[in-house]
Amino acid sequence: MTNFINTQTLAYPVTQQQIQQEFPDTSFPTPFVAPEPYAPVLLSPQPPYDTLTQIVQETAPEETAGQWYQTWAVVELDPEQIQYNKDQLAQQNKAQGKQILSDTDWTAIPSVADPAESNPYLMNQAAFFTYRSAVRDIVLNPTYDAVFPQKLDEQWSNQ
């Protein structure tokens, strides 16, 4: 939905509904065209920013070549907010690691890799032990910048 700016007072954002309420005896065309002194504000993409240490806030629109454009400001977070974000990411990494361990628990069953007991049998069980060990380290010592090992594909004896 388009927001508008009052070009005289610079009031922003103003909605189509607010404009129509301001002019109750006016019939507006479809598609909606705002009366003077209102102008549509064209959307602008948000700038890139570091979600850990910054946020993006919309600022007052700016006029360029007769058109009004949405503007953005990148704002640095205070140290407490940054630490909160780091703690949240660490907990997300811990939860992700727990899910990975749960999803791969079956690879630790000895009979899965024993040709005498399973046909087909898991040929890369040792790689899964190494993989799960690296994931377990993240679960036990979660950090906001944890790097998970590359997911393994099962290698079966008949494939």
Side-chain angles (χ1 to χ4, degrees), residues 97 100-101 104 107 125-141 148-149 152:
I100 290 170
L101 290 174
T104 59
T107 65
Q125 187 178 46
F128 270 98
F129 283 148
T130 302
Y131 171 74
R132 288 172 47 83
S133 178
V135 171
R136 191 173 297 104
D137 288 345
I138 293 171
V139 170
L140 295 175
N141 301 299
F148 285 88
L152 290 179

Side-chain angles (χ1 to χ4, degrees), residues 1-5 14-23 26-41 67:
M1 176 175 233
T2 302
N3 280 323
F4 299 86
I5 186 168
V14 181
T15 66
Q16 176 181 334
Q17 181 180 10
Q18 290 170 315
I19 294 170
Q20 289 174 321
Q21 287 173 348
E22 188 177 334
F23 297 93
T26 301
S27 183
F28 293 96
T30 302
F32 181 78
V33 177
E36 289 291 330
Y38 294 97
V41 175
Q67 294 286 329

Side-chain angles (χ1 to χ4, degrees), residues 11-153:
Y12 176 81
V14 181
T15 66
Q16 176 181 334
Q17 181 180 10
Q18 290 170 315
I19 294 170
Q20 289 174 321
Q21 287 173 348
E22 188 177 334
F23 297 93
D25 298 326
T26 301
S27 183
F28 293 96
T30 302
F32 181 78
V33 177
E36 289 291 330
Y38 294 97
V41 175
L42 302 176
L43 298 178
S44 299
Q46 289 186 357
Y49 67 103
D50 180 352
T51 57
L52 185 65
T53 62
Q54 301 170 323
I55 59 171
V56 174
Q57 294 179 336
E58 186 175 5
T59 57
E62 293 180 359
E63 184 181 13
T64 304
Q67 294 286 329
W68 288 87
Y69 293 91
Q70 183 181 40
T71 60
W72 301 97
V74 176
V75 178
E76 297 295 324
L77 296 174
D78 62 45
E80 293 81 20
Q81 291 169 315
I82 293 170
Q83 187 59 51
Y84 175 81
N85 288 348
K86 287 180 178 181
D87 292 345
Q88 291 299 307
L89 285 172
Q91 290 308 308
Q92 288 173 13
N93 287 337
K94 181 177 183 175
Q96 180 181 349
K98 284 183 173 183
Q99 186 62 53
I100 290 170
L101 290 174
S102 175
D103 292 346
T104 59
D105 273 347
W106 65 271
T107 65
I109 300 171
S111 62
V112 167
D114 185 348
E117 294 188 39
S118 297
N119 188 16
Y121 61 90
L122 184 65
M123 295 173 43
N124 61 338
Q125 187 178 46
F128 270 98
F129 283 148
T130 302
Y131 171 74
R132 288 172 47 83
S133 178
V135 171
R136 191 173 297 104
D137 288 345
I138 293 171
V139 170
L140 295 175
N141 301 299
T143 62
Y144 73 93
D145 58 353
V147 177
F148 285 88
Q150 184 173 350
K151 185 177 186 279
L152 290 179
D153 290 324

